[in-house]
């Protein structure tokens, strides 16, 4: 795997955190900095490019309860919890491999948590433009129904 990035959209704002590779992983945690952007294709593409260029720094494992207190996405978005984020937003993951780029779209599981919707994932060649990735994310978000929230 070459690089992982994520985008959380909440209350019409996108948040692009750095994904730290946990040294005891292999799994990732959202870490600072988190780049907030408007729901604009160019702005989101620039934030994704910055995340890609920053890379996935190795980070230490942290206690889950401690992490919850310092969660950079909750801090940046001012959401009370991930449950609130999931109810009123969307999550996207981007994975760059040597030969392809995959964009994962979220859906909610039976407990109201973000999970990947494998039926909606998009795959691109490894040289896809960041604006194309941003466009796919924003198009998916625009089609979601949050029940009048």
């Amino acid at each position: 795997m070459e690089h992982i990035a994520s985008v959380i959209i909440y209350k019409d704002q996108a948040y692009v955190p750095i994904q730290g590779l946990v040294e005891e992983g292999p799994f990732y945690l959202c870490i600072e900095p988190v780049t907030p952007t408007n729901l604009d294709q160019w702005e989101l593409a620039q934030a994704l490019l910055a995340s890609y260029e920053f890379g996935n720094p190795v980070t230490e494992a942290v206690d889950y309860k401690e992490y919850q207190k310092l969660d950079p996405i909750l801090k940046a978005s001012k959401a009370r919890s991930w449950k609130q984020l999931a109810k009123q937003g969307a999550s996207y993951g981007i994975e760059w491999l040597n030969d392809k780029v995959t964009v994962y779209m979220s859906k909610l599981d039976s407990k109201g948590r973000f999970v990947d919707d494998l039926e909606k994932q998009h795959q691109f060649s490894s040289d896809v433009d960041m604006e194309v990735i941003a466009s796919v994310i924003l198009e998916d978000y625009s089609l979601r129904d949050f029940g009048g929230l």
Side-chain angles (χ1 to χ4, degrees):
M1 206 172 320
E2 287 190 355
H3 184 73
I4 297 289
S6 66
V7 176
I8 303 295
I9 299 180
Y10 175 69
K11 292 191 174 181
D12 294 328
Q13 184 90 28
Y15 300 91
V16 181
I18 297 302
Q19 293 292 315
L21 174 60
V22 176
E23 62 188 353
E24 299 159 7
F27 62 91
Y28 295 84
L29 284 176
C30 297
I31 62 173
E32 300 273 348
V34 176
T35 303
T37 74
N38 293 312
L39 298 184
D40 173 84
Q41 181 176 325
W42 186 85
E43 282 187 43
L44 182 54
Q46 294 307 301
L48 286 169
L49 179 60
S51 171
Y52 183 85
E53 290 174 346
F54 196 95
N56 297 120
V58 174
T59 187
E60 292 181 18
V62 294
D63 177 72
Y64 182 69
K65 289 191 186 241
E66 283 299 310
Y67 181 76
Q68 285 182 307
K69 293 177 190 175
L70 305 170
D71 188 315
I73 293 292
L74 294 180
K75 183 178 164 184
S77 67
K78 298 181 177 52
R80 292 186 313 270
S81 66
W82 274 90
K83 187 172 184 174
Q84 183 182 25
L85 282 173
K87 185 176 181 181
Q88 299 176 11
S91 174
Y92 301 90
I94 303 99
E95 177 181 55
W96 285 268
L97 298 175
N98 289 333
D99 60 340
K100 66 181 176 182
V101 176
T102 304
V103 178
Y104 298 93
M105 313 292 184
S106 67
K107 65 179 181 179
L108 300 182
D109 69 7
S110 62
K111 294 183 180 180
R113 300 175 296 196
F114 289 132
V115 294
D116 290 338
D117 185 345
L118 299 180
E119 293 178 12
K120 289 174 58 178
Q121 74 181 16
H122 292 262
Q123 289 193 352
F124 302 97
S125 64
S126 59
D127 62 349
V128 64
D129 188 275
M130 290 293 183
E131 286 199 46
V132 171
I133 295 171
S135 174
V136 165
I137 290 169
L138 294 173
E139 180 180 349
D140 176 77
Y141 183 74
S142 74
L143 297 173
R144 292 177 182 249
D145 179 12
F146 294 105
L149 294 176

